[in-house]
Each structure stands twice: as C-alpha cells, then as structure tokens.
Amino acid sequence: MKEERNDYDEENNIVELVDEEGNTMRFEHLMTFEYKGEWYCALTPENAAEETEDDEGDEVAIYHITGEEDNEQLETIEDEKFLDEVFAEFCNQYEDFEDADEAAELEPDEE
C-alpha cells in the first residue's frame, strides 16, 4: 500500500497522509532515518502522545520512503522479518536521538 504525504505542519511535527482510497490520517512525525541505504519514516498517530502513561507502549508505523523529494510516497513494508529489522534500527537511532536531546538540555547556554 502506498500513501502520499498531503501536508506537513512543522511547528507541531504533524504529517497528514492520504491513502489510496482518499482517506486522510494525521500522524506525529517521530523521525526519518536511513537503513541499508534506504530512507524510512517513523510516525505515530497524532493523539498517541496524549494517551496516559498506563498504556502498553506507543503505536509506531514505519514506512519506506520512495520517489523524489517533491513527490515522496510512503510504502508499507510487507516483509515482517525485514520490518522487524527496520523497527530495531529505528529503536536504536531514536534512543540515540532522545539521548542527544536530553544531553543538549543539560548543557549550559553559551553567552
């Protein structure tokens, strides 16, 4: 299945996707990352961040990015084994990304 990016709200990091049937869905963009020479995008449903901490983990959707920058499409990854590999890579890179953000917050501002 292919989905097309319809709109991107940079301030809130929200991506609007339109599927092949014309349905629009809103997601929070977690990160775009490279794995084995290809680019992937990790998204979570827009309201997932508002759910309580008691929930069992966040839902994350991983898409393969295809096409040119002006006409990018997101393709679902059909191979479950490969999806597991890509998800593991996302987890590694996202953890590093989060650690870098936390470290930056601890550093004193340069004057």
Side-chain angles (χ1 to χ4, degrees):
M1 172 165 59
K2 291 187 179 185
E3 301 195 24
E4 210 169 295
R5 189 170 79 188
N6 185 39
D7 193 20
Y8 182 65
D9 175 357
E10 284 187 48
E11 183 178 319
N12 296 312
N13 224 19
I14 300 297
V15 178
E16 236 179 50
L17 301 179
V18 179
D19 67 15
E20 293 172 334
E21 297 167 358
N23 300 313
T24 301
M25 301 157 288
R26 292 174 55 93
F27 293 89
E28 178 181 353
H29 176 256
L30 297 175
M31 73 181 295
T32 299
F33 61 100
E34 186 177 12
Y35 179 64
K36 293 188 175 182
E38 297 286 332
W39 287 94
Y40 299 88
C41 182
L43 307 173
T44 190
E46 179 181 23
N47 297 325
E50 297 172 9
E51 294 178 11
T52 65
E53 292 182 18
D54 296 337
D55 291 337
E56 292 287 327
D58 293 331
E59 181 180 335
V60 175
I62 306 281
Y63 292 96
H64 178 225
I65 300 172
T66 62
E68 299 298 317
E69 190 172 323
D70 294 337
N71 191 26
E72 288 178 344
Q73 292 189 343
L74 303 178
E75 292 183 359
T76 56
I77 302 169
E78 301 294 332
D79 182 335
E80 289 293 322
K81 185 176 177 181
F82 185 67
L83 179 58
D84 289 343
E85 284 181 38
V86 175
F87 182 74
E89 180 64 19
F90 158 73
C91 291
N92 289 334
Q93 288 191 30
Y94 193 69
E95 186 176 312
D96 291 345
F97 173 73
E98 286 292 307
D99 289 346
D101 280 352
E102 288 177 18
E105 288 176 10
L106 296 174
E107 292 178 7
D109 292 334
E110 293 182 24
E111 293 181 20

